[in-house]
Amino acid sequence: MPELPEVETVRRGISPHIEGAIIEGLEVRNPNLRWQVPAKLAEKVIGHPVLKVTRRGKYIIWQLPEGCLIWHLGMSGVMRVLTKTTPIGKHDHVDVLFADKVLRFTDPRRFGCLLYVENEREHPLLKHLGPEPLSDEFNADYLAKKLKKTQRCIKVAIMDSHIVVGVGNIYASEALFIAQVSPQKLASKLTSEELERLVVAVKDTLDKAIQAGGTTLKDFMQSDGKPGYFRHELQVYGRDQKPCFICQMPIQKIVLGQRSTYFCPKCQKD
DNA sequence: CAGAGCTCCTGAATGC
DNA sequence: TGCATTCAGGAGCTCT
């Protein structure tokens, strides 16, 4: 399940191979992703170079001269740069062909997407997104302002991409544990100290994971292998009933906003 | 307007 | 061993 660090790792992994290359072909084997891949996408992109590969939240954006491709990996999406002779697998839905290689998009669950827009800033998916978590714009003052009047618990709020992008289910639990704030606490009730700790925890957690991802980049292009994702050192996620690494109290699993949530009832205060 | 719940999909895990 | 059932999850959409 790609979270922001994985998406950034994918971006870094593919960009050296893609940037500057001219798209020579597009093969959409299954357009039924989260949204239909636009029918006449090929004629819009073929013959044009990919100028730059950027990221906004968990969206990967390919900048072309007259528009851009917007990709999302959903939760099972994978992008790999392969040789053209690599056999096609069951869930290999899209190939972008270059002179000497192919960018292959694989996504068993098809929660991902591939869209095209002329002006990235105008696109409804990107237009109203909150700040990047690693930017200075994401700070305790900003969060305080945003959460001031909300009735939601902090874990649900921090996962809202209108508040801040890229904080997925796993890292939301992790960051709250590190910040020692209960995921159930009403978001508007966090003290400025707690907000500060949470902001720092989110940045640290994501940043560390991105650094870890960098170390796997060399393995990114295995022709038959897995993408260069990496294992996290998870403190609470997936550790239901296992002892807290700080106080040994069993980690609790609850559901918030239809998402499983893990926390230490002793270390994380309401 | 804010927020709760629904929804897409398939592989992995679990149950019998 | 094998089949049936359950669950997970990103995030936009619908409904209240």
Side-chain angles (χ1 to χ4, degrees):
Chain A
M1 61 214 76
E3 293 243 10
L4 184 139
E6 287 88 342
V7 176
E8 176 60 18
T9 299
V10 169
R11 188 195 69 76
R12 292 181 188 184
I14 65 170
S15 52
H17 304 281
I18 302 300
E19 287 179 355
I22 292 169
I23 298 175
E24 301 199 339
L26 179 74
E27 190 156 344
V28 180
R29 295 185 199 85
N30 184 355
N32 301 309
L33 303 182
R34 172 153 196 193
W35 295 285
Q36 283 265 324
V37 177
K40 295 187 174 174
L41 187 55
E43 59 194 55
K44 287 179 181 156
V45 301
I46 288 174
H48 298 291
V50 179
L51 301 177
K52 193 98 184 128
V53 179
T54 60
R55 178 186 60 73
R56 182 74 177 94
K58 294 181 188 170
Y59 292 96
I60 291 173
I61 299 161
W62 292 14
Q63 312 285 347
L64 307 187
E66 293 166 13
C68 54
L69 288 170
I70 301 175
W71 300 84
H72 199 290
L73 302 178
M75 47 174 303
S76 57
V78 170
M79 277 181 176
R80 284 171 300 166
V81 179
L82 304 168
T83 57
K84 288 183 164 181
T85 54
T86 308
I88 293 159
K90 186 176 174 186
H91 302 295
D92 294 342
H93 306 309
V94 180
D95 276 2
V96 183
L97 302 165
F98 297 94
D100 56 345
K101 60 205 161 200
V102 53
L103 183 295
R104 183 160 293 165
F105 176 72
T106 308
D107 186 7
R109 295 186 190 176
R110 289 188 276 128
F111 280 15
C113 70
L114 168 57
L115 300 169
Y116 179 87
V117 270
E118 308 221 326
N119 186 349
E120 163 184 352
R121 309 210 170 274
E122 299 288 308
H123 199 280
L125 286 177
L126 306 173
K127 205 171 178 179
H128 303 290
L129 291 178
E132 288 289 326
L134 296 175
S135 72
D136 293 339
E137 203 187 328
F138 179 62
N139 56 49
D141 286 342
Y142 164 82
L143 251 196
K145 211 166 294 174
K146 273 300 217 190
L147 302 180
K148 198 170 182 175
K149 49 190 169 53
T150 189
Q151 295 301 309
R152 292 181 296 178
C153 65
I154 186 61
K155 198 258 190 173
V156 171
I158 204 73
M159 288 179 63
D160 181 345
S161 64
H162 299 281
I163 307 277
V164 58
V165 297
V167 181
N169 197 44
I170 295 174
Y171 290 127
S173 280
E174 293 298 306
L176 284 162
F177 174 78
I178 291 164
Q180 305 212 305
V181 174
S182 167
Q184 302 177 88
K185 182 159 183 169
L186 191 60
S188 58
K189 290 275 197 283
L190 265 70
T191 65
S192 52
E193 289 76 19
E194 288 174 324
L195 288 169
E196 180 63 32
R197 292 206 303 273
L198 182 55
V199 164
V200 170
V202 166
K203 288 175 188 283
D204 278 1
T205 308
L206 295 177
D207 197 50
K208 238 185 253 176
I210 290 172
Q211 302 305 324
T215 67
T216 67
L217 275 181
K218 58 183 185 309
D219 301 325
F220 195 81
M221 268 190 24
Q222 310 171 39
S223 58
D224 60 336
K226 298 141 192 137
Y229 296 160
F230 41 91
R231 303 215 164 272
H232 317 279
E233 301 152 11
L234 299 177
Q235 304 287 306
V236 288
Y237 188 85
R239 302 195 61 244
D240 190 23
Q241 296 308 314
K242 299 206 169 91
C244 169
F245 289 133
I246 306 284
C247 76
Q248 317 306 318
M249 177 84 68
I251 297 299
Q252 297 282 298
K253 177 185 177 182
I254 58 174
V255 174
L256 294 176
Q258 355 292 127
R259 290 289 174 264
S260 48
T261 304
Y262 300 82
F263 72 109
C264 172
K266 190 173 172 194
C267 294
Q268 296 173 261
K269 296 284 191 280
D270 259 334

